[in-house]
Amino acid sequence: MEKKMTSYVVVLIVLCCCVTPARSDGSDHKYKAGDQVTMYANKVGPFHNPSETYRFFDLPFCAPAQVTEKKEALGEVLNGDRLVSAPYKLDFMYDKDSEIACKKKLSKEEVSQFRSAIAKDYYFQMYYDDLPIWGFLGKVDKEGKIDPSEYKYYLFKHLHFEIFYNNDHVVEINARTDPNALVDITEDKEVDVDFMYSVKWKESTTPFEKRMEKYSQLPHHLEIHWFSIINSCVTVILLSGFLATILMRVLKNDFVNYAHDEEAADDQEETGWKYIHGDVFRYPKCKSLLAAALGSGTQLFTMTIFIFILALVGVFYPYNRGALFTALVVRNLILTGALFCGPLFLTFCFLNSVAIGYTATAALPFGTIVVIFLIWALVTSPLLVLGGIAGKNSKSEFQAPCRTTKYPREIPPLPWYRGTLPQMAMAGFLPFNAICIELYYIFASVWGFRMYTIYSILFIVFIIVLIVTAFITVALTYFQLAAEDHEWWWRAFLCGGSTGLFIYGYCLYYYYARSDMTGFMQTSFFFGYMACICYGFFLMLGSVGFRAALFFVRHIYRSIKCE
């Protein structure tokens, strides 16, 4: 397993090093007065449904005479980006006032198309010198009107661009719509529209290196944010100290009692966790499935740590559009077997079919699917075979400190609260309670328009989850063994991974109580991909809990004399 993991990490490092961020036509982002800086139109979609996005010219906007598609990285395609040349010409340091982009006569169908988009709060996204721009298509006048049939729909026809420069660099761009330049599209009739734009250049002192800080502002009420993290840390320290103290004292008493029993009559009956020393290292049922789950969970854990390291050193700075998505795909593609990739593949097929039905940009092109398949075939499969060969030829075997008896002992009847499901609920609640506040910011970034860049806080929260998961799994494993229940293998894995189930429960709360997402496509994307993510957390934390429990069980049985 260690050799196979080393091979995966080396390949991931090589692949991630090959990932390069997308750049605009100006490779060095330096321009002279009058130079053409291409603006790219990206996508449109309902503001509250971040996954439901469409190509910019799926709506009847003014299209340039020659629509040029920008070559995109893998991460950008997975993010739903489809960049094409926009109909606006914003030359460097060249002001324009009420320039006409194009004149267009909208048909009844096109008017209806725009009106439907405005009713759903459609927004657009563009990029200028790799700087993102957002804006809305129009507005709905509801003032003083109760009946929706009386609403007025207006299309914005004039965009004002305010661009800031520092020497020969573009450092900021803002776009706003003219509230007085409106086109009434309430009725289904042909409308003549002059799409216009204005450009105003202003000098700025912002360094080029810091121009993206505007898009990575820390969350509001950062003090409260840090306070919640500190509170979680204190809770974890107290919990860990409490469990460690209790376990150490209880184990010390157990060791003393067992040592006293050994010095007393040899035929004295053993009790407690020592009584089952001949069964505790007996392999569980479905041991191959458990081994596969532990292998996938361990690899997920290793890749997560590696991605955290990249994030902390600034690889996933917002300037590198799509780099995080690319790294996540590479991570998922190098998992072994079908334990994780199988459900992920089936979910992807279903959701991609939904996106194709909606003609949304979230549908991956055939070429991108082929690239992902080739990466899987050329990376995962060979490494899986090599890892299997290395594992088969490895001479290291599982060494149990106690000899396993031929026949298992009968497990005594246990109360209901010592069952698997109640213990999973106890084990999952504590780690989830430590991260529930941070989950809101993560969800707002993944399923919204905020940019999450406080990776240091996220790493602290991740460490908290690992510590709590390990301690609570060890404690529950001890109580299980003390009750003379020797089937702890699967129980430790399930208890450790149960936090993933709580996270998926939070998904239900977030979707219905904290978001405004609607529609079949957005609902299926949200719950489908979050199911894959929570399943990954289940495997990863399950392997952490199991390894902590295994270390603990080895330690206590190595410390006593077993016949």
Side-chain angles (χ1 to χ4, degrees), residues 349-393:
C349 289
F350 171 72
L351 297 180
N352 203 58
S353 300
V354 173
I356 292 174
Y358 275 72
T359 64
T361 62
L364 297 188
F366 178 75
T368 303
I369 298 176
V370 171
V371 170
I372 295 176
F373 175 78
L374 290 176
I375 294 176
W376 178 84
L378 299 178
V379 176
T380 302
S381 298
L383 288 177
L384 185 61
V385 173
L386 292 175
I389 295 174
K392 182 179 182 298
N393 295 333

Side-chain angles (χ1 to χ4, degrees), residues 276-282 400-406 562-563:
I276 57 173
H277 65 80
D279 299 288
V280 73
F281 291 104
R282 186 185 307 279
C402 299
R403 185 177 58 191
T404 302
T405 57
K406 187 175 181 180
C562 298
E563 297 297 335

Side-chain angles (χ1 to χ4, degrees), residues 104-118:
K104 188 166 186 178
K105 189 180 189 67
L106 298 179
S107 64
K108 294 181 180 179
E109 292 76 14
E110 292 174 334
V111 168
S112 176
Q113 194 174 358
F114 268 126
R115 185 172 62 248
S116 176
I118 294 172

